[in-house]
Amino acid sequence: MREFLFTLLQAVATAAIPVCAAFLVQFLRKKSEQIGAQIDNMELKELLDEVTDAVSTAVTYTSQTYVDALKKEGIFDVEAQKTALETSLKMAISLLSESARSALATIYGNLDDYLVSKIEAEVRNQKTAA
């Protein structure tokens, strides 16, 4: 009887181990994909936070050092607006890390166009907040 139970248990284990191993491999793959997606999301969030901070700082800097003085004098014309945009763009680019610049260029294509749109949005946000 013992020998029969041992043989039965051995047969069941032989059949069950590959099935359990397949489920375990499948589970580990899914967990690995989930962790990879979370890491990608965290890296993207950090990248977007860096961009937001750089653009906000650049717009505030330009406003305080250039725009406010011209507005007081009443000479903030179209050319001055273009200069302010260029100043903010250069400042934002200089505040971004090389990896952020590279990633944004890969994601959005033209880094300058992307940053100009972010700068214009930030100028509007700062105007409405004031």
Side-chain angles (χ1 to χ4, degrees), residues 51 55-56 59 85 88-89 92 104 108 110-125:
V51 169
V55 167
S56 177
V59 169
L85 178 60
S88 292
L89 179 61
L104 290 168
Y108 295 106
N110 189 324
L111 178 61
D112 287 358
D113 289 346
Y114 173 72
L115 288 175
V116 165
S117 68
K118 295 294 283 182
I119 288 167
E120 289 173 353
E122 180 63 22
V123 167
R124 180 165 177 84
N125 286 340

Side-chain angles (χ1 to χ4, degrees), residues 74-94:
I75 55 172
F76 191 64
D77 58 4
V78 174
E79 284 302 313
Q81 290 173 6
K82 289 179 184 177
T83 302
L85 178 60
E86 282 298 314
T87 302
S88 292
L89 179 61
K90 287 177 185 174
M91 174 66 71
I93 290 172
S94 72

